[in-house]
């Protein structure tokens, strides 16, 4: 007869009592579409902002391309989200209500509005149609792009998953810098170097911000950062670091003189941004399915007298 | 940002009912799984037997889309009977322990067998309900939390939000499923199938207020019999989910039964989450502006 004393999972190196080492939380059921959407949503959101500002500065070449990227990303995004649903045909149920307590609800409305704006502006940019509507759609799309880039961090932070919830103060900044990086990198690919100076500055600045905010996040997470460093999430973290550093170096050296080099650098940076979203996603999955990660800190809080009072003897 | 979820009864007006719930007294659970079976039959839930798990007599492992009641089995090597450190008074009470139904021990070999029937907690501050973007999850007139199967589109947000790992997606169906506290039976004035089937009254159904005072009495009784680890779990409103419609009397720490020792509704932190998100959005705007306008000449 097997005798289970319920010890084996660990937290901070110490054994944690658990039920046959079974996870306490359910594994998030989201599939590949969701981390990919985190990337395309950020790409689309920040590209709209970049486009609007480039337009104000009089850089029409960059603006038109960035609007196109924004529209394409905003068109791909809902497709990804719908295909992830367990019942894709019921996607319109997302718009049955508006709930501030559900970042997914808020995000659905942002996505619908931003997608409409970006499509209008892009249509106008290449055909000249809908000139009046475009005057409103452009600034609206650019503004909506900001929450579109960051709300996905709120979405994952607002869960019981420790690696996500505990990172709630930093994740939005990690996602924002990732979005800026994606927008800059995409513009490097689409825009001739003569017009791409803002994209170069954006990409290089965003790499720095992304690295710094990620480091600060992992530092403050302490033991909760473990899922970000282990397993597939850890590998993705390294892939991201390598492609970002290589992309940034290439951009710095040849990005101004050669469109080909800039496009190569942009591709590497895009890959890095995508890998980062996947790393965050995988870290959440790993932390949810590790009973030590869930029970350990809760038990420690109870022992410190900082629990919320679930247990009473 | 706090959400005033305690006001739900007002939204039902004259139709609102007293809050109903479960008190699961694990000290008298015999592990017969009648609750699991009755739940499956009444709610027509697909099979979920996992075969031989090696986890004592557990063959359903955890709550999920197809397991709305889950009986946990824990085997522990502990001195049988009165726990170490018990006073002579407590030790003498041991004689009555069998009559009180606390004798879940296997005498002789020092093996203690804990059994507990787990279920959705029907939280006062239900994260699942708060994050549900479609409104499929709703609060009934009995104060319980139910998924509307004709609305759920399987987005999966509630799965990651529930601090107890209750909800899950049903494969080849796509939607999420969980305990409804037999909403259909409650509407007809019947008790839920699991409580009806439980032969020892380990699962007790009734008005939450009444169940809570019953639980306090039972805890006193067990502790005076030397059950020092006996504890109530989610038995009042002072916890991270603001109280629960289903609460428990346990003979060991919650994590031993697979329950989180300090669950918290994630939306209690909604203020700081949205705050950081807004700040990051503003930082992004500044960054974009700096990149576009910050060049030399
Ligand atoms: S236990 Fe989980 S599924 Fe049940 S009401 Fe609470 S949050 Fe929702």
């Amino acid at each position: 007869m097997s005798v289970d004393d319920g010890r084996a999972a660990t937290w901070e190196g110490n054994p944690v009592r658990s039920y046959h080492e079974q996870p306490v939380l359910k594994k998030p059921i989201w599939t590949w579409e969701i981390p990919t959407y985190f990337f395309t949503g950020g790409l689309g959101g920040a590209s709209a902002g970049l486009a609007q500002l480039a337009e104000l500065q009089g850089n029409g070449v960059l603006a038109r391309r960035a609007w196109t990227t924004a529209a394409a990303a905003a068109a791909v995004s809902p497709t990804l989200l719908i295909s992830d649903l367990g019942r894709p045909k019921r996607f319109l149920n997302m718009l049955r209500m508006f709930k501030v307590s559900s970042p997914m609800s808020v995000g659905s409305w942002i996505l619908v509005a931003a997608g409409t704006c970006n499509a209008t502006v892009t249509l106008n940019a290449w055909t000249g149609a809908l000139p009046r509507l475009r005057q409103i759609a452009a600034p609206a799309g650019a503004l909506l792009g900001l929450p579109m880039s960051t709300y996905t961090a709120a979405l994952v932070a607002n869960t019981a998953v420790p690696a996500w919830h505990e990172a709630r103060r930093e994740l939005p900044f990690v996602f924002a810098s990732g979005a800026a990086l994606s927008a800059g990198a995409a513009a490097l690919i689409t825009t001739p170097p003569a017009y791409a100076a803002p994209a170069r500055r954006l990409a290089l600045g965003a790499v720095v911000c992304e690295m710094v905010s990620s480091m600060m996040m992992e530092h403050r997470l302490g033991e909760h950062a473990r899922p970000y460093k282990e397993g597939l999430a850890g590998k993705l973290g390294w892939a991201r670091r390598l492609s970002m550093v290589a992309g940034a170096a290439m951009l710095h050296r040849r990005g101004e003189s050669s469109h080909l080099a800039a496009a190569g650098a942009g591709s590497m940076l895009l890959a890095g941004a995508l890998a980062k979203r996947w790393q965050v996603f995988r870290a959440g999955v790993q932390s949810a399915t590790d009973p030590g990660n869930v029970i350990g800190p809760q038990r420690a809080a109870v022992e410190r007298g900082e629990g919320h009072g679930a247990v009473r003897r | 940002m706090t959400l005033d979820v305690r006001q739900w009864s007002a939204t039902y007006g004259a139709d609102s009912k007293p809050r109903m719930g479960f008190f699961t007294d694990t000290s008298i659970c015999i592990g017969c799984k009648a609750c699991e079976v009755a739940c499956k039959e009444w709610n027509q839930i697909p099979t979920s037997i996992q075969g031989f798990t090696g986890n004592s007599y557990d063959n359903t492992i955890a709550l999920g889309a197809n397991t709305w009641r889950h009986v946990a089995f824990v085997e522990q090597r502990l001195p049988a009977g009165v726990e170490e450190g018990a006073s002579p008074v407590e030790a003498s009470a041991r004689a009555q322990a069998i009559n009180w139904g606390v004798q879940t021990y296997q005498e002789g070999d020092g093996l203690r067998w804990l059994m507990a029937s787990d279920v959705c907690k029907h939280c006062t501050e239900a994260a699942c309900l708060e994050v549900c973007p479609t409104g499929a999850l709703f609060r009934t007139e009995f104060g319980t939390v139910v998924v509307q199967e004709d609305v759920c589109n399987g987005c999966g947000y509630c799965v990651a939000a529930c601090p107890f790992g209750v909800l899950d997606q049903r494969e080849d169906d796509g939607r999420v499923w969980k305990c409804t506290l037999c909403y259909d039976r409650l509407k007809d004035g019947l008790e839920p199938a699991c409580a009806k089937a439980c032969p020892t009254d380990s699962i007790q159904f009734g008005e939450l207020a009444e169940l809570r005072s019953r639980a306090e009495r039972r805890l006193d009784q067990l502790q005076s019999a030397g059950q020092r680890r006996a504890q109530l779990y989610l038995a009042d409103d002072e916890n991270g989910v603001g109280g629960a419609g289903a609460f428990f009397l346990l003979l060991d720490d919650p994590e031993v039964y697979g329950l989180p020792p300090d669950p918290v509704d994630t939306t209690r932190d909604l203020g700081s989450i949205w705050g950081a998100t807004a700040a990051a959005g503003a930082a992004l705007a500044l960054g974009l502006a700096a990149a576009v306008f910050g060049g030399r000449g």
Side-chain angles (χ1 to χ4, degrees), chain A residues 55-102:
Chain A
E55 196 176 307
L56 287 176
Q57 195 219 23
N59 186 343
V61 176
L62 172 61
R64 211 172 337 150
R65 283 162 177 79
W67 276 123
T68 309
T69 306
V76 170
S77 297
T79 318
L80 290 168
L81 290 180
I82 291 168
S83 97
D84 176 71
L85 292 177
R87 286 286 172 107
K89 283 185 189 142
R90 292 188 180 174
F91 72 94
L92 275 178
N93 285 5
M94 287 294 185
L95 306 180
R96 274 180 87 230
M97 38 181 67
F98 178 83
K99 283 168 83 172
V100 187
S101 63
S102 172

Short mmCIF file of all heavy atoms in Angstrom, two decimals, chain A residues 55-102:
data_model
loop_
_atom_site.label_atom_id
_atom_site.label_comp_id
_atom_site.label_asym_id
_atom_site.label_seq_id
_atom_site.Cartn_x
_atom_site.Cartn_y
_atom_site.Cartn_z
N GLU A 55 3.30 60.81 -39.33
CA GLU A 55 2.48 61.65 -40.18
C GLU A 55 2.56 63.11 -39.71
O GLU A 55 2.74 64.03 -40.51
CB GLU A 55 1.04 61.14 -40.06
CG GLU A 55 0.09 61.60 -41.10
CD GLU A 55 -1.25 60.91 -40.88
OE1 GLU A 55 -1.26 59.66 -40.79
OE2 GLU A 55 -2.25 61.62 -40.74
N LEU A 56 2.45 63.32 -38.42
CA LEU A 56 2.53 64.66 -37.86
C LEU A 56 3.88 65.30 -38.16
O LEU A 56 4.00 66.50 -38.37
CB LEU A 56 2.33 64.62 -36.34
CG LEU A 56 0.91 64.35 -35.85
CD1 LEU A 56 0.88 64.23 -34.33
CD2 LEU A 56 -0.04 65.44 -36.33
N GLN A 57 4.90 64.45 -38.20
CA GLN A 57 6.25 64.96 -38.44
C GLN A 57 6.49 65.19 -39.93
O GLN A 57 7.50 65.77 -40.31
CB GLN A 57 7.26 63.94 -37.89
CG GLN A 57 8.67 64.49 -37.74
CD GLN A 57 9.69 63.46 -38.13
OE1 GLN A 57 9.40 62.52 -38.87
NE2 GLN A 57 10.91 63.64 -37.64
N GLY A 58 5.55 64.71 -40.76
CA GLY A 58 5.68 64.92 -42.19
C GLY A 58 6.38 63.80 -42.92
O GLY A 58 6.77 63.93 -44.07
N ASN A 59 6.55 62.67 -42.25
CA ASN A 59 7.21 61.51 -42.87
C ASN A 59 6.13 60.57 -43.41
O ASN A 59 5.81 59.55 -42.81
CB ASN A 59 8.09 60.82 -41.83
CG ASN A 59 8.92 59.69 -42.43
OD1 ASN A 59 8.64 59.22 -43.53
ND2 ASN A 59 9.94 59.28 -41.70
N GLY A 60 5.56 60.95 -44.56
CA GLY A 60 4.44 60.19 -45.12
C GLY A 60 4.82 58.78 -45.54
O GLY A 60 4.00 57.85 -45.47
N VAL A 61 6.06 58.59 -45.97
CA VAL A 61 6.50 57.27 -46.42
C VAL A 61 6.44 56.27 -45.27
O VAL A 61 5.87 55.18 -45.39
CB VAL A 61 7.94 57.36 -46.97
CG1 VAL A 61 8.45 55.98 -47.37
CG2 VAL A 61 7.98 58.30 -48.16
N LEU A 62 7.00 56.68 -44.15
CA LEU A 62 6.97 55.81 -42.98
C LEU A 62 5.54 55.64 -42.47
O LEU A 62 5.11 54.53 -42.14
CB LEU A 62 7.86 56.39 -41.87
CG LEU A 62 7.81 55.72 -40.50
CD1 LEU A 62 8.24 54.26 -40.60
CD2 LEU A 62 8.70 56.46 -39.50
N ALA A 63 4.80 56.73 -42.44
CA ALA A 63 3.43 56.70 -41.91
C ALA A 63 2.58 55.68 -42.66
O ALA A 63 1.89 54.86 -42.06
CB ALA A 63 2.80 58.08 -41.97
N ARG A 64 2.63 55.75 -43.98
CA ARG A 64 1.77 54.87 -44.76
C ARG A 64 2.10 53.39 -44.49
O ARG A 64 1.23 52.55 -44.36
CB ARG A 64 1.92 55.18 -46.24
CG ARG A 64 0.65 54.91 -46.97
CD ARG A 64 0.66 55.38 -48.40
NE ARG A 64 1.59 56.44 -48.73
CZ ARG A 64 2.13 56.56 -49.95
NH1 ARG A 64 1.86 55.67 -50.87
NH2 ARG A 64 2.95 57.56 -50.21
N ARG A 65 3.39 53.11 -44.39
CA ARG A 65 3.78 51.71 -44.16
C ARG A 65 3.39 51.26 -42.75
O ARG A 65 2.95 50.13 -42.54
CB ARG A 65 5.27 51.56 -44.41
CG ARG A 65 5.56 51.51 -45.89
CD ARG A 65 7.00 51.80 -46.23
NE ARG A 65 7.19 51.67 -47.67
CZ ARG A 65 6.85 52.60 -48.55
NH1 ARG A 65 6.31 53.73 -48.15
NH2 ARG A 65 7.06 52.40 -49.85
N ALA A 66 3.59 52.15 -41.79
CA ALA A 66 3.24 51.76 -40.42
C ALA A 66 1.73 51.57 -40.28
O ALA A 66 1.27 50.67 -39.58
CB ALA A 66 3.75 52.81 -39.43
N TRP A 67 0.94 52.42 -40.96
CA TRP A 67 -0.52 52.21 -40.91
C TRP A 67 -0.88 50.85 -41.50
O TRP A 67 -1.77 50.15 -41.00
CB TRP A 67 -1.26 53.30 -41.70
CG TRP A 67 -1.51 54.57 -40.93
CD1 TRP A 67 -1.10 55.83 -41.28
CD2 TRP A 67 -2.23 54.70 -39.70
NE1 TRP A 67 -1.51 56.74 -40.34
CE2 TRP A 67 -2.21 56.08 -39.35
CE3 TRP A 67 -2.88 53.81 -38.85
CZ2 TRP A 67 -2.81 56.58 -38.20
CZ3 TRP A 67 -3.48 54.31 -37.70
CH2 TRP A 67 -3.44 55.67 -37.38
N THR A 68 -0.19 50.48 -42.57
CA THR A 68 -0.50 49.19 -43.19
C THR A 68 -0.17 48.04 -42.23
O THR A 68 -0.95 47.09 -42.09
CB THR A 68 0.32 49.03 -44.50
OG1 THR A 68 0.11 50.20 -45.29
CG2 THR A 68 -0.12 47.81 -45.27
N THR A 69 0.98 48.14 -41.58
CA THR A 69 1.33 47.12 -40.58
C THR A 69 0.26 47.06 -39.50
O THR A 69 -0.19 45.98 -39.10
CB THR A 69 2.68 47.45 -39.92
OG1 THR A 69 3.65 47.63 -40.94
CG2 THR A 69 3.11 46.35 -38.97
N ALA A 70 -0.16 48.25 -39.04
CA ALA A 70 -1.16 48.31 -37.98
C ALA A 70 -2.45 47.63 -38.42
O ALA A 70 -3.05 46.84 -37.67
CB ALA A 70 -1.43 49.76 -37.59
N ALA A 71 -2.87 47.92 -39.64
CA ALA A 71 -4.12 47.35 -40.13
C ALA A 71 -4.00 45.84 -40.29
O ALA A 71 -4.91 45.08 -39.93
CB ALA A 71 -4.52 48.00 -41.45
N ALA A 72 -2.85 45.40 -40.83
CA ALA A 72 -2.67 43.96 -41.03
C ALA A 72 -2.67 43.23 -39.69
O ALA A 72 -3.34 42.21 -39.52
CB ALA A 72 -1.36 43.70 -41.78
N ALA A 73 -1.94 43.78 -38.71
CA ALA A 73 -1.86 43.13 -37.40
C ALA A 73 -3.23 43.13 -36.73
O ALA A 73 -3.63 42.14 -36.10
CB ALA A 73 -0.83 43.83 -36.52
N ALA A 74 -3.96 44.24 -36.90
CA ALA A 74 -5.28 44.31 -36.27
C ALA A 74 -6.28 43.40 -36.96
O ALA A 74 -7.34 43.09 -36.41
CB ALA A 74 -5.78 45.74 -36.25
N ALA A 75 -5.97 43.00 -38.20
CA ALA A 75 -6.86 42.07 -38.89
C ALA A 75 -6.53 40.62 -38.52
O ALA A 75 -7.42 39.79 -38.38
CB ALA A 75 -6.74 42.26 -40.40
N VAL A 76 -5.24 40.34 -38.35
CA VAL A 76 -4.83 38.98 -37.99
C VAL A 76 -5.25 38.66 -36.55
O VAL A 76 -5.65 37.54 -36.25
CB VAL A 76 -3.29 38.84 -38.13
CG1 VAL A 76 -2.81 37.52 -37.54
CG2 VAL A 76 -2.90 38.94 -39.59
N SER A 77 -5.17 39.67 -35.68
CA SER A 77 -5.40 39.43 -34.25
C SER A 77 -6.73 38.77 -33.92
O SER A 77 -6.77 37.73 -33.25
CB SER A 77 -5.24 40.74 -33.48
OG SER A 77 -3.92 41.21 -33.61
N PRO A 78 -7.86 39.32 -34.40
CA PRO A 78 -9.14 38.67 -34.06
C PRO A 78 -9.22 37.26 -34.61
O PRO A 78 -9.82 36.37 -34.00
CB PRO A 78 -10.20 39.57 -34.70
CG PRO A 78 -9.51 40.72 -35.28
CD PRO A 78 -8.05 40.57 -35.14
N THR A 79 -8.58 37.03 -35.77
CA THR A 79 -8.59 35.69 -36.34
C THR A 79 -7.95 34.70 -35.38
O THR A 79 -8.47 33.60 -35.14
CB THR A 79 -7.82 35.68 -37.67
OG1 THR A 79 -8.17 36.86 -38.39
CG2 THR A 79 -8.14 34.47 -38.49
N LEU A 80 -6.82 35.12 -34.81
CA LEU A 80 -6.13 34.25 -33.85
C LEU A 80 -7.01 34.01 -32.63
O LEU A 80 -7.16 32.88 -32.17
CB LEU A 80 -4.82 34.91 -33.40
CG LEU A 80 -3.70 34.97 -34.45
CD1 LEU A 80 -2.60 35.90 -33.97
CD2 LEU A 80 -3.15 33.57 -34.71
N LEU A 81 -7.61 35.09 -32.13
CA LEU A 81 -8.41 34.97 -30.91
C LEU A 81 -9.61 34.06 -31.14
O LEU A 81 -9.96 33.24 -30.30
CB LEU A 81 -8.88 36.35 -30.46
CG LEU A 81 -7.78 37.24 -29.92
CD1 LEU A 81 -8.34 38.58 -29.49
CD2 LEU A 81 -7.10 36.57 -28.73
N ILE A 82 -10.24 34.23 -32.28
CA ILE A 82 -11.44 33.43 -32.55
C ILE A 82 -11.08 31.96 -32.70
O ILE A 82 -11.77 31.08 -32.20
CB ILE A 82 -12.17 33.97 -33.81
CG1 ILE A 82 -12.77 35.34 -33.49
CG2 ILE A 82 -13.25 33.00 -34.26
CD1 ILE A 82 -13.27 36.11 -34.69
N SER A 83 -9.95 31.71 -33.36
CA SER A 83 -9.61 30.29 -33.57
C SER A 83 -9.19 29.63 -32.27
O SER A 83 -9.24 28.41 -32.14
CB SER A 83 -8.56 30.14 -34.66
OG SER A 83 -7.29 30.04 -34.11
N ASP A 84 -8.82 30.40 -31.26
CA ASP A 84 -8.48 29.81 -29.96
C ASP A 84 -9.72 29.44 -29.16
O ASP A 84 -9.65 28.62 -28.25
CB ASP A 84 -7.61 30.78 -29.14
CG ASP A 84 -7.32 30.23 -27.75
OD1 ASP A 84 -6.54 29.27 -27.66
OD2 ASP A 84 -7.88 30.75 -26.77
N LEU A 85 -10.85 30.03 -29.47
CA LEU A 85 -12.05 29.77 -28.68
C LEU A 85 -12.48 28.31 -28.78
O LEU A 85 -12.32 27.68 -29.82
CB LEU A 85 -13.22 30.65 -29.17
CG LEU A 85 -13.11 32.15 -28.94
CD1 LEU A 85 -14.33 32.85 -29.55
CD2 LEU A 85 -13.01 32.47 -27.46
N GLY A 86 -13.03 27.81 -27.68
CA GLY A 86 -13.57 26.46 -27.71
C GLY A 86 -14.78 26.37 -28.62
O GLY A 86 -15.08 25.32 -29.20
N ARG A 87 -15.50 27.46 -28.75
CA ARG A 87 -16.67 27.55 -29.64
C ARG A 87 -16.53 28.79 -30.52
O ARG A 87 -17.13 29.83 -30.25
CB ARG A 87 -17.95 27.66 -28.80
CG ARG A 87 -18.38 26.37 -28.12
CD ARG A 87 -18.96 25.41 -29.16
NE ARG A 87 -19.21 24.10 -28.57
CZ ARG A 87 -20.41 23.62 -28.28
NH1 ARG A 87 -21.48 24.37 -28.48
NH2 ARG A 87 -20.54 22.42 -27.80
N PRO A 88 -15.70 28.69 -31.58
CA PRO A 88 -15.39 29.88 -32.39
C PRO A 88 -16.63 30.58 -32.94
O PRO A 88 -16.64 31.79 -33.08
CB PRO A 88 -14.54 29.31 -33.53
CG PRO A 88 -13.98 28.04 -32.98
CD PRO A 88 -15.01 27.50 -32.05
N LYS A 89 -17.68 29.80 -33.24
CA LYS A 89 -18.86 30.44 -33.83
C LYS A 89 -19.55 31.40 -32.87
O LYS A 89 -20.38 32.20 -33.26
CB LYS A 89 -19.87 29.37 -34.29
CG LYS A 89 -19.44 28.72 -35.59
CD LYS A 89 -20.49 27.75 -36.09
CE LYS A 89 -19.95 26.96 -37.27
NZ LYS A 89 -20.41 25.57 -37.21
N ARG A 90 -19.22 31.26 -31.60
CA ARG A 90 -19.85 32.14 -30.62
C ARG A 90 -18.99 33.36 -30.28
O ARG A 90 -19.14 33.94 -29.21
CB ARG A 90 -20.11 31.37 -29.32
CG ARG A 90 -21.16 30.30 -29.45
CD ARG A 90 -21.47 29.73 -28.09
NE ARG A 90 -22.49 28.68 -28.17
CZ ARG A 90 -22.85 27.94 -27.14
NH1 ARG A 90 -22.29 28.12 -25.97
NH2 ARG A 90 -23.78 27.02 -27.28
N PHE A 91 -18.08 33.74 -31.20
CA PHE A 91 -17.16 34.83 -30.85
C PHE A 91 -17.89 36.13 -30.56
O PHE A 91 -17.45 36.95 -29.77
CB PHE A 91 -16.10 35.02 -31.93
CG PHE A 91 -16.62 35.63 -33.21
CD1 PHE A 91 -16.54 36.99 -33.42
CD2 PHE A 91 -17.17 34.83 -34.18
CE1 PHE A 91 -17.02 37.55 -34.60
CE2 PHE A 91 -17.65 35.37 -35.36
CZ PHE A 91 -17.58 36.74 -35.57
N LEU A 92 -19.05 36.32 -31.21
CA LEU A 92 -19.77 37.58 -30.97
C LEU A 92 -20.27 37.72 -29.54
O LEU A 92 -20.59 38.81 -29.09
CB LEU A 92 -20.95 37.70 -31.95
CG LEU A 92 -20.57 38.29 -33.31
CD1 LEU A 92 -21.80 38.33 -34.22
CD2 LEU A 92 -19.97 39.69 -33.17
N ASN A 93 -20.33 36.60 -28.80
CA ASN A 93 -20.73 36.69 -27.39
C ASN A 93 -19.77 37.57 -26.59
O ASN A 93 -20.11 38.04 -25.52
CB ASN A 93 -20.79 35.29 -26.76
CG ASN A 93 -22.02 34.53 -27.20
OD1 ASN A 93 -22.76 35.01 -28.04
ND2 ASN A 93 -22.23 33.36 -26.64
N MET A 94 -18.55 37.77 -27.12
CA MET A 94 -17.58 38.65 -26.47
C MET A 94 -18.14 40.06 -26.35
O MET A 94 -17.70 40.84 -25.52
CB MET A 94 -16.28 38.72 -27.28
CG MET A 94 -15.43 37.49 -27.20
SD MET A 94 -14.81 37.26 -25.53
CE MET A 94 -13.76 35.85 -25.78
N LEU A 95 -19.06 40.40 -27.24
CA LEU A 95 -19.57 41.78 -27.26
C LEU A 95 -20.97 41.85 -26.64
O LEU A 95 -21.72 42.78 -26.88
CB LEU A 95 -19.57 42.33 -28.69
CG LEU A 95 -18.21 42.23 -29.40
CD1 LEU A 95 -18.28 42.78 -30.81
CD2 LEU A 95 -17.12 42.96 -28.61
N ARG A 96 -21.32 40.84 -25.85
CA ARG A 96 -22.61 40.89 -25.15
C ARG A 96 -22.60 41.94 -24.05
O ARG A 96 -23.63 42.46 -23.66
CB ARG A 96 -22.92 39.54 -24.49
CG ARG A 96 -23.58 38.50 -25.37
CD ARG A 96 -23.81 37.24 -24.55
NE ARG A 96 -25.07 37.26 -23.84
CZ ARG A 96 -25.21 36.99 -22.54
NH1 ARG A 96 -24.17 36.71 -21.80
NH2 ARG A 96 -26.40 37.00 -21.97
N MET A 97 -21.42 42.16 -23.46
CA MET A 97 -21.33 43.13 -22.37
C MET A 97 -19.95 43.76 -22.33
O MET A 97 -19.05 43.36 -23.07
CB MET A 97 -21.65 42.46 -21.03
CG MET A 97 -21.11 41.05 -20.86
SD MET A 97 -21.56 40.36 -19.26
CE MET A 97 -23.35 40.22 -19.43
N PHE A 98 -19.82 44.77 -21.47
CA PHE A 98 -18.54 45.43 -21.26
C PHE A 98 -18.24 45.33 -19.77
O PHE A 98 -19.00 45.82 -18.95
CB PHE A 98 -18.60 46.89 -21.70
CG PHE A 98 -17.32 47.63 -21.46
CD1 PHE A 98 -16.27 47.56 -22.36
CD2 PHE A 98 -17.15 48.40 -20.32
CE1 PHE A 98 -15.07 48.23 -22.13
CE2 PHE A 98 -15.96 49.08 -20.09
CZ PHE A 98 -14.93 49.00 -21.00
N LYS A 99 -17.15 44.64 -19.40
CA LYS A 99 -16.84 44.43 -17.98
C LYS A 99 -15.44 44.91 -17.67
O LYS A 99 -14.47 44.37 -18.20
CB LYS A 99 -16.95 42.93 -17.65
CG LYS A 99 -18.38 42.43 -17.50
CD LYS A 99 -18.40 40.92 -17.47
CE LYS A 99 -18.11 40.36 -16.08
NZ LYS A 99 -18.34 38.89 -16.03
N VAL A 100 -15.33 45.88 -16.78
CA VAL A 100 -14.01 46.38 -16.39
C VAL A 100 -13.22 45.32 -15.62
O VAL A 100 -12.00 45.30 -15.63
CB VAL A 100 -14.14 47.65 -15.52
CG1 VAL A 100 -12.78 48.26 -15.27
CG2 VAL A 100 -15.05 48.65 -16.19
N SER A 101 -13.95 44.42 -14.94
CA SER A 101 -13.27 43.39 -14.17
C SER A 101 -12.68 42.30 -15.06
O SER A 101 -11.99 41.42 -14.59
CB SER A 101 -14.23 42.76 -13.16
OG SER A 101 -15.29 42.11 -13.83
N SER A 102 -12.98 42.37 -16.36
CA SER A 102 -12.45 41.37 -17.29
C SER A 102 -11.63 42.04 -18.39
O SER A 102 -12.18 42.55 -19.36
CB SER A 102 -13.60 40.60 -17.94
OG SER A 102 -13.10 39.77 -18.97
#
